[in-house]
């Protein structure tokens, strides 16, 4: 019985070996369906993972910087002398921490931290403040919040509206005339709430009439509210001997003209010497005339007596 069973198994094995040997060259034995599916799934998975790795190396995820709450720009409003606050959101979608450096341009921006490290796949909200100085004029102002990291810079638009009335007011003060050189020194003061671009006119009147008439012309400066600027005006040919009144008139767009004046007496050495000479000549001429009149009377009196 056992001999017959063993003989049967040997026959089956011999038949299978014969079938395999009889298979044509290049033919492939098919694997079971479940194995084929597993192998195919494994190939697709490997290819897919490889593609993702290559794409990540070629185009890494970019970090972002934007105003909190998804706004397109930062908008702040307040009066001069106030401190306005907002928040900047930094998003790091990458797999590594990101160090971001923050700064402001065109506006006095201060941050809770100038350098922020954002962990991987994290968003960090960084508070910042804008200080509106007391001399900031009312109206619209622009600035920029800048974030730099990984060789890239992101700029966020900052729009600031300073409230308050607009008032243009300009004064001229401390006018002084240097009688040795003729130089005019004066101070312009912005007494209003707007930025001014002043113009200046100069006029001087002497004993015999106008000795300087310089029409208004723009000055190479701008004055912020509350600021003052001390300047000089040259007078190449001041009078040598005269008493003058100098008037300076400053104007600016929207502001009433401002006038200040100063008195000065010019008396140079040569002019004084010349004047003294003239006085001596005049005195000498007067004395000579008096003496001549005296002689004439003396000569006429005897003649009158003889008559």
């Amino acid at each position: 019985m056992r001999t017959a069973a063993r003989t049967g198994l040997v026959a089956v094995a011999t038949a299978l070996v014969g079938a395999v040997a009889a298979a044509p060259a290049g033919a492939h034995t098919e694997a079971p369906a479940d194995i084929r599916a597993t192998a195919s799934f494994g190939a697709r998975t490997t290819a897919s993972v490889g593609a993702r790795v290559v794409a990540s190396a070629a185009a890494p995820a970019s970090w972002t910087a934007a105003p909190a709450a998804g706004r397109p720009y930062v908008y702040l409003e307040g009066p001069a002398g106030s401190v306005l606050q907002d928040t900047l959101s930094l998003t790091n979608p990458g797999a590594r921490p990101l160090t971001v450096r923050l700064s402001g341009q065109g506006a006095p921006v201060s941050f809770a931290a100038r350098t922020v490290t954002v962990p991987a796949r994290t968003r960090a909200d960084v508070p910042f403040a804008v200080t509106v100085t007391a001399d900031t004029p009312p109206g619209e102002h622009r600035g920029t919040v800048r974030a730099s990291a990984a060789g890239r810079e992101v700029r966020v638009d900052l729009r600031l509206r300073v409230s308050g009335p607009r008032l243009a007011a300009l004064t001229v003060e401390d006018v002084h005339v240097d009688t040795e050189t003729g130089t005019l020194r004066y101070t312009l003061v912005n007494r209003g709430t707007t930025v001014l671009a002043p113009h200046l006119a100069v006029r001087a009147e002497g004993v015999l009439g106008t000795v300087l008439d310089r029409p208004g012309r723009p000055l190479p400066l701008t004055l912020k509210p509350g600021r003052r600027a001390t300047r000089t005006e040259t007078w190449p040919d001041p009078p040598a001997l005269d008493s003058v009144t100098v008037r300076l008139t400053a104007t600016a767009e929207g502001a009433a003209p401002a006038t200040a004046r100063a008195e000065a007496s010019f008396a140079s050495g040569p002019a004084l010497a010349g004047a003294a000479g003239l006085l001596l000549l005049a005195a000498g001429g007067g004395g000579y005339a008096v003496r001549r009149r005296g002689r004439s009377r003396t000569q006429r009196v005897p003649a009158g007596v003889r008559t």
Side-chain angles (χ1 to χ4, degrees):
M1 195 75 170
R2 291 178 181 173
T3 302
R6 186 179 296 110
T7 302
L9 289 175
V10 170
V12 171
T14 303
L16 286 174
V17 171
V20 172
H28 301 282
T29 305
E30 292 187 356
D34 56 345
I35 297 177
R36 288 202 308 270
T38 303
S40 176
F41 175 77
R44 287 198 301 270
T45 303
T46 302
S48 176
V49 171
R52 285 199 298 270
V53 170
V54 172
S56 176
S62 296
W63 60 274
T64 61
R71 292 167 295 159
Y73 53 82
V74 176
Y75 179 81
L76 299 172
E77 182 175 359
S82 61
V83 178
L84 309 176
Q85 298 181 346
D86 208 319
T87 303
L88 184 70
S89 293
L90 303 174
T91 304
N92 176 18
R96 296 180 180 179
L98 179 72
T99 299
V100 184
R101 283 173 289 277
L102 303 173
S103 62
Q105 183 178 16
V109 182
S110 57
F111 297 87
R114 286 280 180 176
T115 302
V116 179
T117 299
V118 185
R121 302 180 182 87
T122 303
R123 188 191 75 192
D125 292 331
V126 183
F128 67 90
V130 177
T131 301
V132 186
T133 57
D135 60 352
T136 304
E140 302 289 340
H141 302 270
R142 290 292 187 94
T144 304
V145 176
R146 301 189 299 179
S148 303
R152 187 167 68 94
E153 182 181 84
V154 175
R155 298 188 177 189
V156 178
D157 189 20
L158 170 62
R159 302 183 185 183
L160 174 64
R161 180 177 178 81
V162 179
S163 57
R166 297 179 62 87
L167 173 65
L170 180 66
T171 60
V172 185
E173 303 175 4
D174 303 329
V175 179
H176 174 74
V177 182
D178 187 337
T179 55
E180 294 184 1
T181 63
T183 302
L184 311 177
R185 188 177 69 249
Y186 61 96
T187 300
L188 296 175
V189 185
N190 186 344
R191 301 289 184 182
T193 61
T194 63
V195 178
L196 301 179
H199 291 59
L200 184 73
V202 183
R203 186 179 181 88
E205 298 287 342
V207 175
L208 301 178
T210 302
V211 292
L212 176 64
D213 189 5
R214 190 173 294 170
R217 71 186 190 284
L219 299 178
L221 84 159
T222 56
L223 281 178
K224 291 184 177 181
R227 297 294 179 87
R228 60 177 55 226
T230 299
R231 296 181 52 82
T232 58
E233 287 282 322
T234 59
W235 190 355
D237 53 349
L241 184 63
D242 202 351
S243 178
V244 300
T245 300
V246 179
R247 287 182 175 84
L248 276 64
T249 302
T251 58
E253 184 177 358
T259 301
R261 72 177 190 174
E263 307 288 340
S265 296
F266 292 89
S268 64
L272 286 176
L278 290 175
L279 288 175
L280 289 175
L281 287 174
Y288 176 73
V290 170
R291 287 195 298 272
R292 285 195 62 181
R293 284 198 297 271
R295 287 198 206 97
S296 299
R297 290 174 183 170
T298 303
Q299 291 173 359
R300 287 197 298 270
V301 168
V305 171
R306 285 196 300 268
T307 304

